Amino acid sequence: MKNCEFWIWLERTLGPGAVLDDIINYYGSAADVYQAGRSDWILTGLLNGKQIQSLTRFSPSESAKIINDCQRNNWQIITPDDAEYPPLLRTIRDFPAVLYADGNTELLYSEQFIAMVGTRKASAYGIKSAGIISGQLSNAGMCIVSGGALGIDTAAHEGALTSGHPTVCVLGCGLGTDYLRENYALRNEIRKNGVIITEYPPFTPASRYTFPKRNRIISGMSLGTVVVEAGERSGSLITARLASEQGRDVYAIPGSVFASSFNGANKLISDGAKPVFTAKDILEEYYYRYPDKIKTENTDIPLSNFVRENSVEFEKPEPVKIQREVKRKAVPETVKEIKKTLPDSAGETAKMIYGCFKDEATLDEIAENTALDIRKILTGITELEMYGVIEMMPGNKYRKK
């Protein structure tokens, strides 16, 4: 935490999202910016009159309250001078001057981050797709970054956690705020098994202005951004645009052309984003860059293997009946079944859901028997399908294999 009071001063005066790259490249550090003084700020031409006026409004000593708040709550302050600062994030022009962190900050040393974003009002298809891809990417050696919101963000975080891996949550508010009570339990799990970061000082409330600025951090610290489900006006498209401007890769999971919630993601594909059908579609872009850290085994399983066309996620019309006889091959009277069991490595949610099965069950029956919310149920169901111990039946039912 080197010279953190000067970095906090710079963030407070110029504000989140300010373009710092040219300023820091010229002066060397936030401390050097402060020590240069007003006359030099004017001579360089790097700062406009409003920014110079802001820089004189506060002094680094006024950062003490923020530092004390963090120390009292065991929150970490990370600046570009620190080793924990995400390496890719430092390469964007408007990198944050300060990150406040709660959790395992050593996780931030890595470069193998993949952002996953999407709509808050996600469909079952979107939630399931996010959970599957997130889990597979995590198992392969990538770390999932998302924004901690409802819908796709939640599914992305839970997909990583359920597979036994950490995840990074980037907030659009300060630590210690009462933002999104519904996801308090999820944030607590991320805090214990990953890290929560934000550029906003402690107790800064969320607003419609803080989230768009937050999005550049999600995309900027990641190798690429995956848009799972997004309408034409979705905030996720802002993250995708920022990723493209930052020179990062953009991916999208294709969705139904009949569902408006997929219009944004589908348009990204038509504009050049790489479509994602398997986790390997993403991993193959980075495997040769990180051959000792990324594994691609068992990552080429198509999403269609987990989300069936006869499920409720896909209502397809009745096929046209052709009036002719079709000879069918006889089905053997006896078929030897192979009994599959759930391995010990399965997550606790998956084990709980599996334990409530007698033969088959609907999502409502599973919810009644386990008292889990629908997001956790869908994540657990996905894991059970990946292990091949249950299968989906018509009518949104699942049964043991």
Side-chain angles (χ1 to χ4, degrees):
M1 198 165 64
K2 183 181 178 183
N3 294 326
C4 71
E5 66 271 22
F6 292 101
W7 286 106
I8 294 172
W9 162 77
L10 193 61
E11 187 276 335
R12 287 188 70 194
T13 53
L14 297 186
V19 177
L20 302 178
D21 195 46
D22 293 339
I23 299 170
I24 298 302
N25 284 342
Y26 181 84
Y27 284 107
S29 72
D32 292 330
V33 175
Y34 177 75
Q35 290 161 5
R38 182 186 179 92
S39 297
D40 197 71
W41 300 338
I42 295 172
L43 288 172
T44 63
L46 293 172
L47 296 153
N48 59 40
K50 185 177 180 181
Q51 288 176 317
I52 292 172
Q53 186 177 2
S54 295
L55 289 173
T56 58
R57 193 177 303 159
F58 301 100
S59 72
S61 62
E62 295 177 67
S63 305
K65 182 182 183 304
I66 293 175
I67 295 171
N68 290 336
D69 284 340
C70 290
Q71 290 175 340
R72 188 169 58 252
N73 290 281
N74 201 29
W75 296 329
Q76 302 299 309
I77 300 175
I78 302 171
T79 75
D81 291 333
D82 299 318
E84 295 95 335
Y85 196 92
L88 291 178
L89 187 59
R90 180 58 182 83
T91 66
I92 68 173
R93 297 192 67 235
D94 49 356
F95 62 88
V98 186
L99 291 175
Y100 302 93
D102 189 6
N104 178 16
T105 57
E106 291 184 4
L107 184 64
L108 301 174
Y109 292 145
S110 174
E111 289 187 6
Q112 292 85 248
F113 292 116
I114 285 289
M116 188 171 289
V117 295
T119 181
R120 288 170 170 79
K121 298 179 180 179
S123 65
Y125 166 79
I127 290 173
K128 199 164 189 177
S129 299
I132 292 167
I133 296 296
S134 172
Q136 290 184 337
L137 289 173
S138 299
N139 285 331
M142 306 298 280
C143 184
I144 301 299
V145 180
S146 198
L150 298 175
I152 297 301
D153 286 14
T154 292
H157 289 307
E158 288 184 343
L161 293 170
T162 301
S163 65
H165 298 280
T167 179
V168 178
C169 174
V170 185
L171 293 179
C173 58
L175 297 173
T177 59
D178 197 22
Y179 166 70
L180 199 62
R181 290 184 182 182
E182 302 97 309
N183 265 9
Y184 175 79
L186 173 64
R187 289 198 298 275
N188 197 40
E189 283 298 309
I190 295 172
R191 184 180 298 111
K192 292 187 294 185
N193 299 285
V195 63
I196 298 172
I197 62 173
T198 177
E199 70 178 319
Y200 296 101
F203 313 112
T204 302
S207 75
R208 63 192 181 97
Y209 303 106
T210 58
F211 289 102
K213 292 178 181 178
R214 179 276 311 264
N215 292 345
R216 83 188 193 287
I217 299 177
I218 294 176
S219 59
M221 68 183 291
S222 305
L223 292 164
T225 293
V226 185
V227 178
V228 179
E229 180 178 358
E232 289 180 300
R233 297 180 179 274
S234 173
S236 305
L237 301 185
I238 297 175
T239 311
R241 175 179 58 78
L242 290 168
S244 181
E245 292 173 355
Q246 292 163 344
R248 310 296 193 253
D249 298 317
V250 179
Y251 306 90
I253 294 180
S256 171
V257 296
F258 297 106
S260 60
S261 63
F262 289 99
N263 285 351
N266 288 339
K267 188 175 187 305
L268 284 176
I269 294 172
S270 69
D271 289 343
K274 184 176 182 179
V276 174
F277 302 99
T278 72
K280 192 173 183 179
D281 292 330
I282 298 169
L283 294 168
E284 65 186 7
E285 301 293 332
Y286 313 113
Y287 174 74
Y288 295 104
R289 198 187 309 183
Y290 308 101
D292 57 331
K293 296 179 179 179
I294 294 176
K295 306 181 294 292
T296 59
E297 295 84 358
N298 301 318
T299 60
D300 57 352
I301 305 170
L303 284 169
S304 58
N305 283 29
F306 303 103
V307 184
R308 299 190 175 188
E309 288 186 330
N310 61 358
S311 71
V312 292
E313 290 91 344
F314 295 96
E315 294 183 6
K316 65 178 185 177
E318 289 293 320
V320 177
K321 294 181 179 179
I322 301 175
Q323 301 298 322
R324 59 175 176 157
E325 288 188 7
V326 179
K327 291 185 179 181
R328 302 180 184 274
K329 292 183 179 180
V331 179
E333 292 183 5
T334 58
V335 178
K336 183 180 289 187
E337 294 187 354
I338 301 173
K339 186 177 181 181
K340 296 189 176 182
T341 58
L342 187 62
D344 293 336
S345 59
E348 291 304 315
T349 300
K351 289 178 180 177
M352 184 185 301
I353 294 172
Y354 190 67
C356 82
F357 274 94
K358 291 183 180 178
D359 181 20
E360 59 181 45
T362 64
L363 290 176
D364 289 338
E365 289 169 342
I366 295 171
E368 185 178 345
N369 291 333
T370 62
L372 295 171
D373 63 47
I374 189 63
R375 296 190 303 273
K376 286 188 177 293
I377 290 172
L378 287 170
T379 302
I381 285 289
T382 298
E383 185 176 1
L384 292 173
E385 287 182 303
M386 291 174 69
Y387 284 123
V389 295
I390 68 169
E391 62 182 346
M392 180 179 281
M393 304 298 295
N396 205 27
K397 289 184 177 181
Y398 296 85
R399 73 176 180 187
K400 283 186 177 180
K401 282 190 176 181

